[in-house]
Each structure stands twice: as C-alpha cells, then as structure tokens.
Amino acid sequence: MSFLPYAVAVWIVGVGLYGIVTSRDLVHLVICLSVMQSASYLVLLSIGYVKDASAPVFADVPGGTRAVDPVVQALTLTDVVVGTTVTALLLALSVQAHKRYGTLDPRRLRPGRATRRHG
Amino acid sequence: MSDRVRLTVFGVSLAGLLALLVWGLAGLPDFGDFQGAYGQLLNRVAVPERSTTDVVTAVNFDYRGFDTLGEEFILFAAVIGVASILRTLRGERIRRPDDDAAGRHVPETSLLVRVTGLGLVAPTILVGIYIVAHGHQTPGGGFQGGVILATALLLIYLSADYMTMRAVGPTWLIELAEGLGAAGFALIGVGGLVFGTAFFENFLGKGTPGELPSAGTIPLSNTAVGLAVTGGFVFMLSEFLQQALTHRRVHHHRRGGARRAS
C-alpha cells in the first residue's frame, strides 16, 4: 500500500477545495483552506519517510541509525508557519469584510453593496 | 452564478486538478524508499559537526539558518499585516471590553473553567520553556515552544478576563518580546559574519552532544525565535480579541436593527 499516504493527500486537497467552493461563511472558508494546505504537510513528510527508520533525533539512539529525511521535516515547519500566517491574515480580512458588508457569506459580498450607515 | 453552474465548473476543474496531482505524485519515490542525499548526509554529520541531537533543528537553525530567518520574518510581516488590517477604523470607537456579541448574553465563566484554566497556566509556561530550551536535543524549538507559551496567556483570558490578560501581557511587553526576538535572531546571524566567516555560522563552543548547554548558537537562536513567536502570537490573538471585545461601530448596519445600548 505504498500509494496510500499520497492518496490521502489528494483526498484532503479534494475535500478542502470542495469546502471552499461550497462555503457559505468566510471563517469556514479559511478553515477549509487550512485543511487543504495540510495535504502539503502530508506529502512532504511522506516523501521523506524511510521504512523501518527512526526519527532524525539521535538523543537516545546511537548516531548512524537509519533515520527518515530531516530536510523535508524542516520544510514542513516552514510550511506550517506559512499556513498559520495565511490563516491569520485571511481571518483578519474576514473580520473587516463582516464590518463592511454585515455578512460573512461570500455569495452576498458584492463590491458596492457595503451597508450604508445612518447619517 | 447559480449553484448548479458553480458546481459543474468546479467538478470539471477538480477532475483536471486531481489528474494532474495523481500524475505528479506518481513520479515521486515509493513511500518508505526515499534516497535523499542531503538528508542522509545530514543524519550522518549533524551530531558530530554541530553537537545537535535533533537534526531537524540543526537544519533549521544552522545549515539552513538563513532560510529560517526569512521564515521568522514572514511571521513578523503577518503580525504587522494583521495589526494594520485590524486597526481602529473611522467610525469606530473603543469601549470597555465586554464579553458579548450583539444580542447575545454570555454566561459567567464557571468555577471549573476558572480553576482548570488557571491551574494549567504554570504547567503550560513550563512546557513551553522546556520545548524552547531543548530544541537542539529533542523535537521542539522556538516555533513550537513559542506557540505553547502564547497559549498560556490565552488560558488567562479563558479563565479570568480580557483585562487580566492585558495586565499579565501588556502591549509594551509583547512588542518588546517580538522585537527583541526577531532582532536577536538576525543578530545571531550577523554574529557568524563578525566572529566567523559566514552569515549564521556557529561561532560559539559546541559542547558535548546531548547536554543542555551545547550546539553553540542553536539554543540562542531557539530562544530568540521563541520570544518572537510568543510575542507575535499573543499580539495577533489580542488584536482579534480586541475586535470582538472593545471595537464597536458608532453607526449601525442598515439591517442591524435598533441601536444597542452599550
């Protein structure tokens, strides 16, 4: 079953995209994007996996033990940080969209349809 | 666009995307059979060369330190971005923090939540510091520990209230941590230039692998990043909390109904 991790990654991309396309709420949409991005963590970690190998941490195993690839794991950390920042910025934009349009439903967000204020 | 058209367009694009994804993934090495030359080399040389038992940390804060500096400043830029997107807008005013959304009464925090939350604050801080301090030995480091440390302040908000959280983590302290951390990490890189030959070169004694003070500049980098990440996350969280608690529009939405007494 060597394709299984990649199949799961493809599936996560699919459900994340489906959520984004059918979303009725910007917060839900941002979460769907995070779900979709988590597929890239899975792909990176799956690529670096080596059968019957330990983690690339030699604190309690002797040096020279077969270990999985540390480079893709370091890249995954970068990936997580980027994901976090994207989520934070999009949520901040959602807050402002809600203030301006009075709704979080992406289908009701139309340029020029900002709620007018009482004078 | 109607829902049906939207889903049809999506379905066709998704089929194309999935086909491309499967095609791309098919070219990857078989699961469990990766022969990455760099990874294998690093697994062999990192412990004797850098006195770091966690090779992932050695990659992040030494071999690839320059890249991690960029990563750290992505976070820094995002914090600035969130702060400027969530600035106080014209037509908004700041009022006393109030834990309820329009038309919703939030019940008092229960005693159980208070006791559990406050009881968890000290352990959370301890775990956070442990994860930051042992980043060069076991899985962890500044990014992971920093997020855990930021959680401690969120626990204070959860079990007490917003003002208590601000008292424990005032803005000047958060900004100081964020600034010192980010600048400190960059300066450690410059230190490599001054005392060594290259940016981010390890210029301190390497010590014995597995001991707490070892691995040269890596624990320092972890501490700096930990400070910056703690500051950054607490800053972003309080920006969002401010939006929910203290920012109110003076004027109301058209559909907003009657003006709510504040």
Side-chain angles (χ1 to χ4, degrees), chain B residues 215-246:
Chain B
T217 53
I218 294 177
L220 287 182
S221 300
N222 266 323
T223 310
V225 169
L227 265 179
V229 170
T230 311
F233 268 80
V234 172
F235 190 85
M236 287 202 279
L237 289 171
S238 30
E239 282 287 330
F240 280 110
L241 283 174
Q242 272 172 28
Q243 288 294 319
L245 302 178
T246 64

CSV table of all heavy atoms in Angstrom, one decimal, chain B residues 215-246:
chain,number,residue,atom,x,y,z
B,215,ALA,N,25.7,22.8,21.3
B,215,ALA,CA,25.3,23.1,20.0
B,215,ALA,C,25.5,24.6,19.7
B,215,ALA,O,24.9,25.1,18.7
B,215,ALA,CB,23.8,22.7,19.8
B,216,GLY,N,26.3,25.3,20.4
B,216,GLY,CA,26.7,26.7,20.1
B,216,GLY,C,25.6,27.7,20.0
B,216,GLY,O,24.8,27.9,21.0
B,217,THR,N,25.3,28.2,18.8
B,217,THR,CA,24.3,29.3,18.7
B,217,THR,C,22.9,28.8,18.6
B,217,THR,O,22.0,29.6,18.7
B,217,THR,CB,24.6,30.2,17.5
B,217,THR,OG1,24.7,29.3,16.4
B,217,THR,CG2,25.9,31.0,17.6
B,218,ILE,N,22.8,27.5,18.4
B,218,ILE,CA,21.4,27.0,18.1
B,218,ILE,C,20.4,27.2,19.3
B,218,ILE,O,19.3,27.7,19.0
B,218,ILE,CB,21.5,25.5,17.7
B,218,ILE,CG1,22.2,25.4,16.4
B,218,ILE,CG2,20.1,24.9,17.6
B,218,ILE,CD1,22.4,23.9,15.9
B,219,PRO,N,20.8,26.9,20.5
B,219,PRO,CA,19.9,27.3,21.6
B,219,PRO,C,19.6,28.8,21.7
B,219,PRO,O,18.4,29.1,22.0
B,219,PRO,CB,20.6,26.8,22.9
B,219,PRO,CG,21.6,25.9,22.4
B,219,PRO,CD,22.0,26.3,21.0
B,220,LEU,N,20.6,29.6,21.4
B,220,LEU,CA,20.3,31.1,21.4
B,220,LEU,C,19.3,31.4,20.3
B,220,LEU,O,18.4,32.2,20.6
B,220,LEU,CB,21.6,31.8,21.2
B,220,LEU,CG,22.6,31.9,22.3
B,220,LEU,CD1,23.8,32.7,21.9
B,220,LEU,CD2,22.0,32.5,23.5
B,221,SER,N,19.5,30.9,19.1
B,221,SER,CA,18.5,31.1,18.1
B,221,SER,C,17.1,30.7,18.5
B,221,SER,O,16.1,31.4,18.2
B,221,SER,CB,18.9,30.4,16.8
B,221,SER,OG,20.2,30.8,16.4
B,222,ASN,N,17.1,29.5,19.1
B,222,ASN,CA,15.8,29.0,19.5
B,222,ASN,C,15.1,29.9,20.5
B,222,ASN,O,13.9,30.2,20.5
B,222,ASN,CB,15.9,27.6,20.1
B,222,ASN,CG,15.7,26.5,19.1
B,222,ASN,OD1,14.8,26.6,18.3
B,222,ASN,ND2,16.5,25.4,19.2
B,223,THR,N,15.9,30.4,21.4
B,223,THR,CA,15.4,31.4,22.4
B,223,THR,C,14.8,32.6,21.8
B,223,THR,O,13.7,33.1,22.1
B,223,THR,CB,16.4,31.8,23.5
B,223,THR,OG1,17.1,30.5,23.9
B,223,THR,CG2,15.9,32.5,24.6
B,224,ALA,N,15.6,33.2,20.8
B,224,ALA,CA,15.2,34.4,20.1
B,224,ALA,C,13.9,34.1,19.3
B,224,ALA,O,13.0,34.9,19.4
B,224,ALA,CB,16.3,34.9,19.2
B,225,VAL,N,13.9,33.0,18.6
B,225,VAL,CA,12.7,32.7,17.8
B,225,VAL,C,11.5,32.5,18.8
B,225,VAL,O,10.4,32.9,18.5
B,225,VAL,CB,12.9,31.5,16.9
B,225,VAL,CG1,11.6,31.0,16.3
B,225,VAL,CG2,13.9,31.9,15.8
B,226,GLY,N,11.8,31.8,19.9
B,226,GLY,CA,10.7,31.5,20.9
B,226,GLY,C,10.1,32.8,21.4
B,226,GLY,O,8.9,33.0,21.4
B,227,LEU,N,10.9,33.8,21.7
B,227,LEU,CA,10.5,35.1,22.1
B,227,LEU,C,9.6,35.8,21.0
B,227,LEU,O,8.5,36.3,21.3
B,227,LEU,CB,11.7,36.1,22.4
B,227,LEU,CG,12.2,36.2,23.8
B,227,LEU,CD1,13.4,37.1,23.9
B,227,LEU,CD2,11.1,36.7,24.7
B,228,ALA,N,10.1,35.8,19.8
B,228,ALA,CA,9.4,36.4,18.7
B,228,ALA,C,8.1,35.7,18.4
B,228,ALA,O,7.1,36.4,18.2
B,228,ALA,CB,10.3,36.4,17.4
B,229,VAL,N,8.1,34.4,18.4
B,229,VAL,CA,6.8,33.7,18.1
B,229,VAL,C,5.8,33.9,19.3
B,229,VAL,O,4.6,34.2,19.0
B,229,VAL,CB,7.1,32.2,17.9
B,229,VAL,CG1,5.8,31.4,17.9
B,229,VAL,CG2,7.9,32.0,16.7
B,230,THR,N,6.3,33.9,20.5
B,230,THR,CA,5.4,34.1,21.6
B,230,THR,C,4.8,35.5,21.5
B,230,THR,O,3.5,35.7,21.5
B,230,THR,CB,6.1,34.1,23.0
B,230,THR,OG1,6.8,32.9,23.1
B,230,THR,CG2,5.1,34.1,24.2
B,231,GLY,N,5.6,36.5,21.3
B,231,GLY,CA,5.2,37.9,21.1
B,231,GLY,C,4.2,38.0,19.9
B,231,GLY,O,3.1,38.6,20.1
B,232,GLY,N,4.6,37.4,18.8
B,232,GLY,CA,3.8,37.6,17.6
B,232,GLY,C,2.4,37.0,17.8
B,232,GLY,O,1.4,37.6,17.4
B,233,PHE,N,2.4,35.7,18.4
B,233,PHE,CA,1.1,35.1,18.5
B,233,PHE,C,0.2,35.8,19.5
B,233,PHE,O,-1.0,36.0,19.3
B,233,PHE,CB,1.3,33.6,18.9
B,233,PHE,CG,1.3,32.7,17.7
B,233,PHE,CD1,2.5,32.6,17.0
B,233,PHE,CD2,0.2,32.0,17.3
B,233,PHE,CE1,2.5,31.8,15.9
B,233,PHE,CE2,0.2,31.2,16.2
B,233,PHE,CZ,1.4,31.1,15.5
B,234,VAL,N,0.8,36.2,20.7
B,234,VAL,CA,0.0,36.9,21.7
B,234,VAL,C,-0.5,38.2,21.1
B,234,VAL,O,-1.7,38.6,21.2
B,234,VAL,CB,0.8,37.2,22.9
B,234,VAL,CG1,0.1,38.1,23.9
B,234,VAL,CG2,1.2,35.9,23.6
B,235,PHE,N,0.3,38.9,20.3
B,235,PHE,CA,-0.1,40.1,19.6
B,235,PHE,C,-1.3,39.9,18.7
B,235,PHE,O,-2.3,40.6,18.7
B,235,PHE,CB,1.1,40.7,18.9
B,235,PHE,CG,0.8,42.1,18.4
B,235,PHE,CD1,1.1,43.2,19.2
B,235,PHE,CD2,0.4,42.4,17.1
B,235,PHE,CE1,0.8,44.5,18.8
B,235,PHE,CE2,0.2,43.6,16.7
B,235,PHE,CZ,0.4,44.7,17.5
B,236,MET,N,-1.2,38.9,17.9
B,236,MET,CA,-2.3,38.6,16.9
B,236,MET,C,-3.5,38.2,17.7
B,236,MET,O,-4.6,38.7,17.3
B,236,MET,CB,-1.9,37.5,15.9
B,236,MET,CG,-0.9,37.9,14.9
B,236,MET,SD,-0.9,36.9,13.4
B,236,MET,CE,0.2,35.5,14.0
B,237,LEU,N,-3.4,37.4,18.7
B,237,LEU,CA,-4.6,36.9,19.4
B,237,LEU,C,-5.2,38.1,20.1
B,237,LEU,O,-6.5,38.3,20.1
B,237,LEU,CB,-4.2,35.9,20.5
B,237,LEU,CG,-3.8,34.5,20.0
B,237,LEU,CD1,-3.2,33.7,21.1
B,237,LEU,CD2,-5.0,33.8,19.4
B,238,SER,N,-4.4,39.1,20.7
B,238,SER,CA,-5.1,40.2,21.3
B,238,SER,C,-5.7,41.1,20.3
B,238,SER,O,-6.7,41.8,20.6
B,238,SER,CB,-4.2,40.9,22.3
B,238,SER,OG,-2.8,40.8,21.9
B,239,GLU,N,-5.1,41.2,19.1
B,239,GLU,CA,-5.8,42.0,18.1
B,239,GLU,C,-7.2,41.5,17.7
B,239,GLU,O,-8.1,42.2,17.7
B,239,GLU,CB,-4.9,42.0,16.8
B,239,GLU,CG,-3.7,42.9,16.8
B,239,GLU,CD,-4.1,44.4,16.7
B,239,GLU,OE1,-5.1,44.7,16.0
B,239,GLU,OE2,-3.4,45.2,17.2
B,240,PHE,N,-7.3,40.1,17.6
B,240,PHE,CA,-8.6,39.5,17.3
B,240,PHE,C,-9.5,39.7,18.5
B,240,PHE,O,-10.7,40.0,18.3
B,240,PHE,CB,-8.4,38.1,17.0
B,240,PHE,CG,-8.0,37.8,15.5
B,240,PHE,CD1,-6.7,37.4,15.3
B,240,PHE,CD2,-8.8,38.1,14.5
B,240,PHE,CE1,-6.3,37.1,13.9
B,240,PHE,CE2,-8.4,37.9,13.2
B,240,PHE,CZ,-7.2,37.4,12.9
B,241,LEU,N,-9.0,39.6,19.7
B,241,LEU,CA,-9.9,39.7,20.9
B,241,LEU,C,-10.4,41.1,21.0
B,241,LEU,O,-11.6,41.4,21.3
B,241,LEU,CB,-9.1,39.3,22.2
B,241,LEU,CG,-9.0,37.8,22.4
B,241,LEU,CD1,-8.1,37.5,23.6
B,241,LEU,CD2,-10.3,37.2,22.6
B,242,GLN,N,-9.5,42.1,20.7
B,242,GLN,CA,-9.9,43.5,20.7
B,242,GLN,C,-11.1,43.7,19.8
B,242,GLN,O,-12.0,44.5,20.1
B,242,GLN,CB,-8.8,44.4,20.3
B,242,GLN,CG,-7.9,44.8,21.4
B,242,GLN,CD,-6.7,45.6,20.9
B,242,GLN,OE1,-6.7,46.2,19.9
B,242,GLN,NE2,-5.6,45.5,21.6
B,243,GLN,N,-11.0,43.1,18.6
B,243,GLN,CA,-12.1,43.3,17.6
B,243,GLN,C,-13.4,42.8,18.2
B,243,GLN,O,-14.4,43.4,18.0
B,243,GLN,CB,-11.8,42.5,16.3
B,243,GLN,CG,-10.7,43.1,15.5
B,243,GLN,CD,-11.1,44.4,14.9
B,243,GLN,OE1,-12.2,44.6,14.5
B,243,GLN,NE2,-10.1,45.4,14.9
B,244,ALA,N,-13.4,41.7,18.9
B,244,ALA,CA,-14.6,41.1,19.4
B,244,ALA,C,-15.1,41.8,20.7
B,244,ALA,O,-16.3,41.9,20.9
B,244,ALA,CB,-14.4,39.6,19.7
B,245,LEU,N,-14.1,42.4,21.4
B,245,LEU,CA,-14.5,42.9,22.8
B,245,LEU,C,-14.6,44.4,22.9
B,245,LEU,O,-15.4,44.9,23.6
B,245,LEU,CB,-13.5,42.4,23.8
B,245,LEU,CG,-13.4,40.8,23.9
B,245,LEU,CD1,-12.4,40.4,24.9
B,245,LEU,CD2,-14.7,40.2,24.2
B,246,THR,N,-13.7,45.1,22.2
B,246,THR,CA,-13.6,46.6,22.5
B,246,THR,C,-14.0,47.5,21.4
B,246,THR,O,-14.3,48.6,21.6
B,246,THR,CB,-12.2,47.0,23.0
B,246,THR,OG1,-11.3,46.8,22.0
B,246,THR,CG2,-11.8,46.2,24.3
